[in-house]
Amino acid sequence: MIIENAHVVTVTGEEIAGGHVVVEDNRITAVGAGPAVDRAGHDVVDARGGLLTPGFVNTHNHLYQWVTRGLAVDATLFEWLTTLYPVWAGIDEHAVHTGATGALSQLALTGCTTSTDHHYVFPREGGDVFAAEIRAAAEVGLRFHPCRGSMDLGRKDGGLPPDHVVEDRDAVLAASEAAIDRWHDASPGSMLQVALAPCSPFSVTGDLMRESAELARRRGVRLHTHLAETLDEEDFCRERFGCSPLEYVEGLGWTGADVWFAHAIHLDDPAVKRIGATRTGVAHCPSSNARLGAGIARTRDLRDAGARVGLGVDGAASNEAGSLLEEVRHAVLFARAVGGPTALTVRDSLELATLGGARVLGREDEIGSIEVGKLADLALWGLDGLGHADVADPVAALVLGAPPPLDLLLVNGRPVVEHDRVVTVDTDAVARECARVHRTLLEKAS
């Protein structure tokens, strides 16, 4: 395929007006100005009036939550969790597959080509819910980094989650290793890589955090958890452990280039510097953080300190839109709301969604920018309509303007979205099934 006449944003600092990108199999083989020289045997996409960017990378989500949207809409994080845990306790393979298909389809429609997922709810009668979301990602066609999450600190032991949704530590570790054995693919161009992801300091024991880190490093996979999302969490860690959330998890082996935290909002200056010095990653989730009133992450400071920062939509129970493009816009606006108009540029935010996310996942050599040899994960946005045609800066049109149509989304060289429509699954049927599963979960919880 040749995509030509587009404004090509490589995210490496180069932008090409009227440029072209050549894709052969699943790789980018040429990037340049004007039309491609060798056109024989290629399908040619005339992208006149369009903006071509790397596909977006979603660094934090809870896909199953797509079927539990619109609940506890005016609650704090802890109130929201205690309201939703009884609903989530009813999920099973079908609910997770349905929710994941819906959430991943919406991500695709908003420019996402690679998504993580942090799945930590494993009901005893729910079946193989981890396999269910992996199947959904394969059907939609996104590159996928599922995180085998866990909770082993229930209410009777001082944690937040109900006791019936936590697991035994030994069972978690066995299931985590089994997930790596079954699913993790470390080969070049991989479509599926597994991480280990105990949920949070208030739902997981220190022993499980420490042993999960040891297991992940022994098996060569990454580590993910929630951290410093709310002041309640800060109070919990101070009272229970006598230190801040970051100090607590760092003592358990949870900093470094193979670790990334979701949220990382409530950090003092030493914590920001420590995350940067250790090259730890952060998934910035501005919409969810605003929806729950949690706060605004110090994105500029974290980047300046050397942290690897990407964007995440978070679970759809705390971000009903599930749009990664919306996170790009909100990242800019929220950073400027607290730090002034130069706190984050529109190109900084686009980088967060692309190369920044790729760095968080350790995939920056393969995805996140438009360069020869990289995987063909590309998003073509239509900017020639009423909402964008007269915006002088095409990147500003994408980041600050209304959401434009997505003319084409390629993942691994394969079309997943064409003309603003997912072509791999029937989204109308998925929407109907999502609504049915939502009703069933509420009935089970009542």
Side-chain angles (χ1 to χ4, degrees):
M1 179 181 291
I2 296 172
I3 302 170
E4 63 183 19
N5 299 321
H7 187 96
V8 179
V9 182
T10 65
V11 194
T12 62
E14 183 181 16
E15 295 185 23
I16 307 168
H20 70 267
V21 172
V22 180
V23 172
E24 295 182 9
D25 297 322
N26 68 338
R27 297 278 175 178
I28 297 169
T29 58
V31 181
V37 176
D38 184 5
R39 306 162 71 86
H42 289 82
D43 293 329
V44 178
V45 176
D46 186 351
R48 198 177 313 273
L51 175 70
L52 189 68
T53 70
F56 295 165
V57 180
N58 178 32
T59 59
H60 185 64
N61 210 339
H62 308 292
L63 294 173
Y64 72 94
Q65 290 183 13
W66 191 259
V67 289
T68 64
R69 292 186 291 167
L71 305 174
V73 295
D74 300 313
T76 66
L77 174 67
F78 279 24
E79 292 168 347
W80 174 84
L81 284 171
T82 54
T83 300
L84 271 296
Y85 274 138
V87 181
W88 296 338
I91 63 172
D92 56 17
E93 287 183 46
H94 179 67
V96 169
H97 177 265
T98 301
T101 304
L104 291 165
S105 296
Q106 177 68 4
L107 283 167
L109 287 167
T110 61
C112 178
T113 52
T114 297
S115 183
T116 62
D117 188 56
H118 186 182
H119 192 93
Y120 57 84
V121 180
F122 292 87
R124 292 176 179 84
E125 306 301 323
D128 195 344
V129 294
F130 199 65
E133 67 171 13
I134 289 172
R135 180 162 53 92
E139 291 166 358
V140 176
L142 296 197
R143 204 175 300 279
F144 197 38
H145 283 236
C147 305
R148 207 298 176 178
S150 53
M151 299 187 295
D152 72 333
L153 185 65
R155 285 181 186 164
K156 68 179 177 60
D157 297 316
L160 187 68
D163 294 318
H164 65 277
V165 298
V166 301
E167 299 177 274
D168 173 75
R169 183 173 77 250
D170 290 340
V172 168
L173 293 168
S176 298
E177 187 144 30
I180 297 169
D181 289 337
R182 183 179 178 187
W183 300 114
H184 184 65
D185 175 12
S187 64
S190 171
M191 291 290 290
L192 181 61
Q193 294 192 3
V194 172
L196 300 188
C199 183
S200 68
F202 51 83
S203 59
V204 176
T205 62
D207 287 341
L208 180 56
M209 292 285 287
R210 183 184 301 106
E211 292 180 46
S212 293
E214 292 169 355
L215 171 60
R217 287 174 176 136
R218 177 165 55 82
R219 296 301 306 273
V221 301
R222 304 180 86 76
L223 289 161
H224 182 46
T225 193
H226 298 93
L227 197 80
E229 184 174 2
T230 67
L231 291 173
D232 288 339
E233 180 186 333
E234 176 83 17
D235 294 342
F236 178 91
C237 289
R238 293 285 181 189
E239 180 178 336
R240 190 175 179 98
F241 310 120
C243 59
S244 72
L246 178 63
E247 290 168 335
Y248 171 62
V249 299
E250 183 165 36
L252 300 170
W254 275 76
T255 52
D258 59 346
V259 176
W260 84 101
F261 301 136
H263 309 302
I265 299 169
H266 297 284
L267 303 172
D268 58 16
D269 289 345
V272 169
K273 291 178 181 177
R274 187 62 187 153
I275 288 175
T278 56
R279 297 288 293 156
T280 303
V282 170
H284 177 36
C285 306
S287 297
S288 174
N289 296 159
R291 200 271 212 188
L292 292 169
I296 300 173
R298 299 172 59 180
T299 315
R300 175 82 269 158
D301 295 338
L302 286 162
R303 282 164 57 91
D304 289 347
R308 296 170 297 116
V309 184
L311 297 180
V313 300
D314 205 357
S318 67
N319 176 9
E320 281 73 6
S323 165
L324 201 48
L325 178 58
E326 189 172 85
E327 303 310 311
V328 180
R329 186 171 193 259
H330 285 171
V332 168
L333 297 182
F334 295 174
R336 294 182 182 189
V338 295
T342 61
L344 205 68
T345 72
V346 293
R347 285 165 176 78
D348 287 338
S349 195
L350 183 60
E351 184 189 49
L352 288 175
T354 53
L355 196 54
R359 292 186 183 114
V360 167
L361 300 184
R363 301 293 298 271
E364 65 268 33
D365 291 339
E366 294 191 298
I367 61 174
S369 60
I370 301 178
E371 299 179 76
V372 171
K374 285 203 167 183
L375 294 165
D377 291 7
L378 300 167
L380 176 61
W381 308 90
L383 299 183
D384 54 352
L386 176 65
H388 308 89
D390 59 340
V391 179
D393 181 343
V395 177
L398 176 69
V399 174
L400 298 178
L406 182 60
D407 290 338
L408 180 67
L409 187 77
L410 295 184
V411 183
N412 215 38
R414 177 191 179 200
V416 172
V417 174
E418 293 179 338
H419 306 299
D420 240 1
R421 184 178 68 87
V422 177
V423 297
T424 50
V425 297
D426 182 346
T427 53
D428 290 338
V430 171
R432 290 191 295 271
E433 190 58 19
C434 285
R436 193 190 69 79
V437 170
H438 176 91
R439 292 192 298 268
T440 298
L441 289 173
L442 293 184
E443 289 167 2
K444 289 168 71 172
S446 63

